Amino acid sequence: MTSPPSLSVAPGPRPEERAPNAPSVPVGKRRYRPSTIVLTAVLAAVLVSLVLLPIVRLVLLALQDGGENLARAVGTPALARTLLTTLLLAVVSVAMAAVLGTALAWLAMRLPVRHRWAAVLPLLPIVLPPIASISAFGFLLAPRSGLVNDLLRSLPMFSGYTAATGGPINVYSFGWIVAITGLYLTSFMFVFIRAGLARVGPQVVEAARSSGATPRRAFLTVVLPLLRPSLTYGGAICLLLGLSQFTAPLILGGNNNVRVLTTEVYYFVNLNEYGLASALSMPLLVLGTALVLGQRGLLANSKRFASDAGKGVQGGGRASGWALPGLTVYGLLTVVVPILTLLVVSLSPFWTGHVDVSTFTLRNFTETLGMPAARTAVQTSLLASVAGVLLALPIGYLAAEVIYRRRGGRALSAVVDFVVGLPLGIPAVVFGLGFLYFYSQPGFQLYGTPWIIVLLYVTLMLPYSVRLQLTARLSLGDSFEAAARSSGAGVVRTHLRIVLPMMRSSVAGAAALMFVLLSHEFTASVFVRSVRTQVMGTQLYDFWSTGTASKVAVMGIVMCVITAVGVALAARAGSGTLEKL
Amino acid sequence: MLAVNGLEKSFSAKGDVVRAVGDVTFEVAEGEMLVLLGPSGCGKTTVLRCIAGHETAQGGSIRLGGETVFDAAVGMDQPPERRRIGMVFQNYALWPHLTVQRNLEFPLRARRMKAELAAGEAIHQAARLVDCVPYLQRFPSELSGGQQQRVALARGLVAKPRFMLFDEPLSNLDALLRAQVRHDLHELHQTVGFSGIYVTHDQSEAFALGDRLAIMRAGRIEQIGAPQEIYGRPLTEYAANFVGLSNRLVFDPAEGGTWSVRGGSGRGVPVVTGEAFDSLTLRFRPHDVDLLPATTTAYDGLVLEGRVADSVYEGRHYDLSVTAGSATLNVHAAAPEGARFGPGDPVRIGLRWHVGSWFGDGRRVEVAARAETTST
């Protein structure tokens, strides 16, 4: 055997030699282009002036002179009682909402396929104008002139009550305010629990059932423990919502002196005691900021701004016969009944609590809508809402761009994310007060103009605008933008011709949703309104305060109609926008 | 045409720093297609995106067509739209709200090539190149995956860029389609003669399309060269695996300066290396193996005794799974006359000396066989 051709004896060459002493490069070194800096600076200026300045000014006011206002606030009469009422209202209504919300979410999961549409029912109260629906409950359950009381009194068991002394139900009591608040918060809890149930998934429940567990046992021992995170997060957010409840205590609490922190703030503002008002708003401000800080990611998560896995949960186990009736009852109670009540009251020439269909007339509508004040209020509402949306959208787009692309670095995008979330976490009452105090100062003097309302609206809608557009950006992905840039398009052309058109439906849905929320805004608007610049919600409140039931009802119907139009637009424009709530 | 020098890119994810690209240097000549080949995470896409301008590296420089488009040392980073490249994406990235025609017009509009736009010829030429003229008025959602990818190709070429970048463009296509589009791409390259970089994890694509290959691993280039060079002389085990040398035999030092198959009981193999190694690894292809008859004749190569684990008879060839020592080898060879191989049968396999690659410490080692007879 001959030896094979001799190959070299030396070892083979190494792969590419490493450069000796290669410098370790710091991660995150970037070079900024002038256009980026300008845009970021503009965004920063807008965010600071809309969100931070009013809040900071309030804090400074509360703390000035060594906290003199705080001391005075502590010394206000019956503060302890106010705080206790606030706390009780929040806790009890959240507890109620947790139970009801979980039950509704569970039922929604077990809807038969042909009744899947009913899963949307618990979401509707969120878009109904609270000021209108709470007024409706007032009409229903007022002790003397309430419709329900009127009906109850005709029953033999309640014969002891008369129209003079007041019927069995008194909606102006603490108990009923809690009940109504709880009913309203149930919608929010439903959103959280439904998301949590979707994560739990039907298989876990089916496994329990196959192992011999009854539906009740499966729910208590399997589903409920798995829902704990959703219950906790949802509970925390609903607690904050409960603590910042304003409309119900304001409208219904006056008679029996049911006072909470937010109504106290309003009370002192009406007395021009801004120092006291700001001091009293501090607990809410601190709590809200803590919530935004601590649950920044969770706020986005829990509110399910990311698109859900379809309407309701697919195949949520065996259908339950209770599902449709249960959801329908809730829908009737919270949506149909209030609207019908408003309709009835608005069509009755004079409201006594007794319904007489034969006297129905449209006179109230022509009268009320003929009033310049009412017409102006509707106009201002619509214009301010539209303006608010038109301004909030581009600001939100910019902010979403900064957060999404981390332009300007990770720190900046985190800060922007935080600041943009503040108007959602901090109660609207605080923002209303802050705007009133800051922007009516000399130098701004926006009080009495519609502009202060517009700016306030823009601020309140920032979180929605950012989150919804950010979600859309995330689901769009990078490649379409990259393809445009590689094809020679600059940043502006890329956004105008590629990114924005592709986000069309999300932006439209967001716009419709924000319009709905703004058109029935009351809580913050009531602080910045003036005699000549009213919005629908505040005008309705004025009518309520002067006791003209028919005008209240007409205004309420108008608000509901506008809301319905907005919701229809949202449903058409952005598929699943309502679910994205 | 393209010169990349010392490219460095790291990402920080959840507190850890990942060096995605480390000191990458290479050149692409005019009219040449360089393929970056490697598994996911090896940094090939990051390199591509740095060249495109979608990522900014932290170190190094990139020169394109004689112009510096990126230089970390002086802080120069040209934005993507000014680099005059064409890019084809894995998921096509056709703009769904524009017709095919408008998709193709976009680069011309963006680069303000009014003359070409007005003439309309450039669009038709590009569409003809990829055989997409009938689809010009359709929307991307009305096209199949293969059609979309071809439109994406046309879009990348329509503005006649000086350099093309391909980011795994065939990954989203099914196997049949992939072969077809790959063939079309090859033809396109021959016809148009563009220079470009093609990123893929698929060896067959790399060999079919690349004038040169660069095998990447963990952010670095392991080996760069013509396909034949890498096929014949992989410099590392990693590269060897990529070009199909899937069979692996480990040898431990035995007495008398020989090496024995790990786990095996046969005689030592008399090979000599220039350096001392703890172990040697031999890599070879299933096709490189000969099936030797039981009666021995002189064989100019390595002979191994093994046992058949599984066999598939294909008429002229056998596809065998053979255990030799502690290794399992795949053998695809012509069967000697009259031989039958069933599970459990003993088998002798032979590997000629110049076939297969030896590796020590993961890198290529040249071995010499001792001049003595190898008999059973």
Side-chain angles (χ1 to χ4, degrees):
Chain A
M1 192 81 264
T2 54
S3 64
S6 171
L7 309 158
S8 74
V9 174
R14 288 178 187 272
E16 313 271 333
E17 287 285 359
R18 241 168 265 244
N21 305 321
S24 70
V25 183
V27 174
K29 232 172 65 147
R30 276 180 177 75
R31 285 160 276 280
Y32 298 120
R33 268 179 274 153
S35 55
T36 312
I37 300 182
V38 165
L39 277 176
T40 317
V42 166
L43 179 69
V46 167
L47 288 182
V48 164
S49 48
L50 286 183
V51 180
L52 290 179
L53 283 181
I55 299 296
V56 169
R57 190 70 191 85
L58 268 189
V59 175
L60 289 178
L61 179 61
L63 294 177
Q64 85 183 16
D65 296 333
E68 189 209 320
N69 285 319
L70 284 173
R72 286 176 59 206
V74 172
T76 51
L79 179 70
R81 185 157 166 256
T82 306
L83 287 175
L84 191 65
T85 315
T86 314
L87 211 56
L88 262 178
L89 170 65
V91 169
V92 177
S93 58
V94 168
M96 182 180 152
V99 171
L100 263 184
T102 309
L104 286 174
W106 179 244
L107 286 178
M109 197 173 102
R110 303 182 63 209
L111 276 171
V113 179
R114 67 184 180 283
H115 292 310
R116 275 287 144 73
W117 56 267
V120 184
L121 282 175
L123 294 175
L124 291 179
I126 298 181
V127 292
L128 260 198
I131 183 117
S133 49
I134 292 175
S135 313
F137 277 113
F139 291 137
L140 275 176
L141 305 170
R144 274 190 280 269
S145 58
L147 179 59
V148 169
N149 283 323
D150 186 62
L151 290 171
L152 286 179
R153 281 193 290 264
S154 61
L155 294 175
M157 61 188 103
F158 294 116
S159 55
Y161 299 92
T162 66
T165 59
I169 301 179
N170 179 9
V171 74
Y172 300 131
S173 63
F174 177 70
W176 275 100
I177 296 177
V178 169
I180 292 175
T181 307
L183 212 57
Y184 179 61
L185 285 181
T186 301
S187 283
F188 288 92
M189 274 308 259
F190 172 80
V191 172
F192 296 126
I193 305 294
R194 191 182 61 160
L197 275 178
R199 279 194 288 267
V200 167
Q203 285 93 348
V204 173
V205 179
E206 285 163 5
R209 298 293 299 279
S210 299
S211 309
T214 60
R216 199 183 91 110
R217 189 187 179 77
F219 182 79
L220 288 176
T221 58
V222 174
V223 178
L224 219 45
L226 287 174
L227 279 180
R228 209 168 47 193
S230 307
L231 278 168
T232 317
Y233 300 141
I237 293 181
C238 284
L239 192 66
L240 185 65
L241 284 173
L243 288 169
S244 36
Q245 269 299 293
F246 180 61
T247 311
L250 186 70
I251 302 245
L252 303 171
N255 284 31
N256 283 18
N257 209 22
V258 176
R259 292 181 350 191
V260 294
L261 213 51
T262 48
T263 53
E264 287 294 271
V265 170
Y266 183 61
Y267 171 73
F268 283 114
V269 164
N270 280 339
L271 295 178
N272 277 332
E273 288 271 15
Y274 291 108
L276 271 181
S278 74
L280 284 170
S281 69
M282 281 302 110
L284 296 170
L285 196 155
V286 168
L287 267 174
T289 310
L291 186 73
V292 178
L293 263 177
Q295 307 205 325
R296 198 157 49 83
L298 269 44
L299 210 62
N301 245 346
S302 318
K303 280 241 160 191
R304 278 318 238 170
F305 282 122
S307 61
D308 220 340
K311 275 200 251 203
V313 180
Q314 290 307 92
R318 296 175 60 232
S320 164
W322 290 105
L324 186 63
L327 290 167
T328 315
V329 165
Y330 181 77
L332 277 173
L333 267 182
T334 54
V335 178
V336 176
V337 164
I339 295 183
L340 275 181
T341 312
L342 289 177
L343 213 53
V344 162
V345 174
S346 63
L347 291 172
S348 308
F350 189 74
W351 179 244
T352 52
H354 197 74
V355 181
D356 190 354
V357 184
S358 62
T359 61
F360 274 8
T361 166
L362 284 177
R363 198 160 43 96
N364 291 325
F365 280 92
T366 46
E367 250 180 48
T368 313
L369 295 177
M371 291 172 59
R375 274 211 311 272
T376 319
V378 174
Q379 263 170 19
T380 313
S381 233
L382 290 177
L383 286 174
S385 304
V386 170
V389 169
L390 287 179
L391 285 174
L393 278 177
I395 300 177
Y397 189 84
L398 259 182
E401 172 78 7
V402 169
I403 299 174
Y404 174 70
R405 286 230 158 267
R406 307 234 177 102
R407 283 197 194 290
R410 188 149 301 171
L412 182 67
S413 76
V415 168
V416 169
D417 201 5
F418 167 71
V419 171
V420 147
L422 281 176
L424 196 56
I426 296 182
V429 165
V430 178
F431 267 95
L433 174 63
F435 259 76
L436 172 65
Y437 187 67
F438 186 79
Y439 282 104
S440 37
Q441 286 177 112
F444 291 103
Q445 280 174 335
L446 291 177
Y447 182 74
T449 72
W451 288 112
I452 193 171
I453 302 181
V454 172
L455 287 180
L456 178 62
Y457 280 8
V458 172
T459 313
L460 290 175
M461 287 300 107
L462 267 182
Y464 294 91
S465 175
V466 172
R467 293 258 175 264
L468 288 170
Q469 295 190 86
L470 186 60
T471 308
R473 278 311 280 294
L474 284 170
S475 61
L476 195 63
D478 264 339
S479 50
F480 297 106
E481 234 179 294
R485 298 293 295 280
S486 292
S487 300
V491 176
V492 174
R493 186 189 285 263
T494 306
H495 277 271
L496 280 180
R497 294 217 187 273
I498 302 296
V499 180
L500 260 178
M502 290 185 71
M503 279 174 57
R504 236 186 354 233
S505 74
S506 302
V507 172
L513 182 67
M514 291 195 286
F515 173 79
V516 166
L517 293 174
L518 284 178
S519 61
H520 65 65
E521 219 290 322
F522 166 72
T523 313
S525 315
V526 79
F527 284 86
V528 298
R529 57 93 178 250
S530 70
V531 173
R532 269 190 315 252
T533 53
Q534 298 256 35
V535 292
M536 291 190 289
T538 58
Q539 185 63 65
L540 193 156
Y541 176 60
D542 276 356
F543 288 149
W544 176 274
S545 306
T546 56
T548 39
S550 49
K551 293 196 171 60
V552 170
V554 168
M555 212 56 182
I557 292 289
V558 170
M559 288 178 82
C560 287
V561 167
I562 295 182
T563 298
V565 168
V567 168
L569 283 175
R572 253 203 58 179
S575 53
T577 302
L578 214 54
E579 273 81 39
K580 284 185 187 140
L581 258 192
Chain B
M1 192 66 223
L2 170 76
V4 174
N5 218 311
L7 208 61
E8 289 276 350
K9 174 83 184 166
S10 303
F11 294 102
S12 70
K14 296 190 207 294
D16 289 324
V17 172
V18 173
R19 201 164 182 208
V21 175
D23 196 21
V24 164
T25 301
F26 62 86
E27 283 181 19
V28 179
E30 185 100 29
E32 180 182 44
M33 181 88 105
L34 174 74
V35 173
L36 296 181
L37 177 65
S40 53
C42 70
K44 55 194 195 297
T45 303
T46 309
V47 169
L48 195 80
R49 287 172 65 85
C50 285
I51 298 173
H54 299 308
E55 303 271 6
T56 305
Q58 279 110 15
S61 69
I62 302 177
R63 279 178 68 79
L64 193 52
E67 186 192 342
T68 304
V69 300
F70 171 77
D71 194 337
V74 304
M76 147 82 123
D77 182 20
Q78 220 181 35
E81 59 269 19
R82 291 227 283 268
R83 298 197 181 192
R84 301 215 328 269
I85 54 160
M87 189 155 173
V88 183
F89 294 80
Q90 183 173 358
N91 65 347
Y92 329 134
L94 293 179
W95 302 301
H97 59 296
L98 303 175
T99 58
V100 168
Q101 168 129 9
R102 288 229 178 276
N103 263 276
L104 295 180
E105 284 174 1
F106 189 93
L108 297 178
R109 278 185 212 281
R111 300 192 199 278
R112 305 199 204 285
M113 295 166 76
K114 301 249 170 52
E116 282 83 349
L117 253 180
E121 187 47 35
I123 310 283
H124 267 91
Q125 204 178 52
R128 253 198 316 271
L129 259 178
V130 300
D131 199 16
C132 277
V133 176
Y135 315 134
L136 278 175
Q137 295 315 316
R138 296 209 208 152
F139 285 92
S141 56
E142 300 163 17
L143 301 178
S144 73
Q147 291 162 340
Q148 286 188 46
Q149 191 51 285
R150 284 184 291 162
V151 172
L153 262 174
R155 182 182 64 184
L157 289 168
V158 72
K160 299 202 172 39
R162 56 187 173 182
F163 203 79
M164 286 291 293
L165 295 173
F166 299 88
D167 187 1
E168 303 203 52
L170 306 184
S171 315
N172 281 16
L173 302 174
D174 63 68
L176 260 162
L177 215 43
R178 209 177 296 165
Q180 179 65 47
V181 181
R182 192 173 78 204
H183 174 260
D184 294 340
L185 240 177
H186 185 78
E187 241 185 73
L188 213 58
H189 185 217
Q190 307 290 74
T191 320
V192 178
F194 50 76
S195 328
I197 291 192
Y198 188 100
V199 162
T200 182
H201 58 269
D202 187 304
Q203 315 161 18
S204 48
E205 250 170 65
F207 277 90
L209 295 169
D211 295 316
R212 271 195 312 150
L213 267 52
I215 299 191
M216 286 193 71
R217 179 194 199 184
R220 310 193 109 70
I221 296 185
E222 277 252 305
Q223 185 173 0
I224 183 167
Q228 296 85 341
E229 208 180 297
I230 302 191
Y231 192 84
R233 286 186 92 244
L235 291 180
T236 62
E237 264 211 74
Y238 177 84
N241 203 29
F242 249 102
V243 293
L245 287 84
S246 52
N247 282 325
R248 191 169 185 266
L249 267 180
V250 183
F251 290 81
D252 294 315
E255 31 171 77
T258 62
W259 298 82
S260 64
V261 176
R262 185 171 290 175
S265 52
R267 262 176 47 139
V269 172
V271 292
V272 187
T273 66
E275 268 179 61
F277 290 102
D278 292 333
S279 65
L280 284 180
T281 309
L282 172 64
R283 282 201 165 241
F284 51 98
R285 295 188 173 83
H287 288 76
D288 294 337
V289 180
D290 298 319
L291 286 174
L292 301 176
T295 53
T296 195
T297 51
Y299 182 74
D300 185 15
L302 178 67
V303 177
L304 291 170
E305 309 284 345
R307 202 157 279 278
V308 176
D310 197 14
S311 77
V312 175
Y313 177 60
E314 292 176 357
R316 293 183 58 186
H317 290 91
Y318 261 100
D319 228 323
L320 296 178
S321 186
V322 174
T323 47
S326 53
T328 307
L329 307 173
N330 294 312
V331 174
H332 184 94
E337 197 58 46
R340 275 196 192 323
F341 297 101
D345 289 350
V347 64
R348 305 180 86 219
I349 58 180
L351 190 73
R352 281 175 227 280
W353 286 123
H354 60 277
V355 167
S357 299
W358 291 84
F359 297 92
D361 287 343
R363 48 188 173 83
R364 188 183 190 81
V365 163
E366 304 300 339
V367 309
R370 281 225 181 84
E372 49 186 281
T373 320
T374 48
S375 56
T376 29

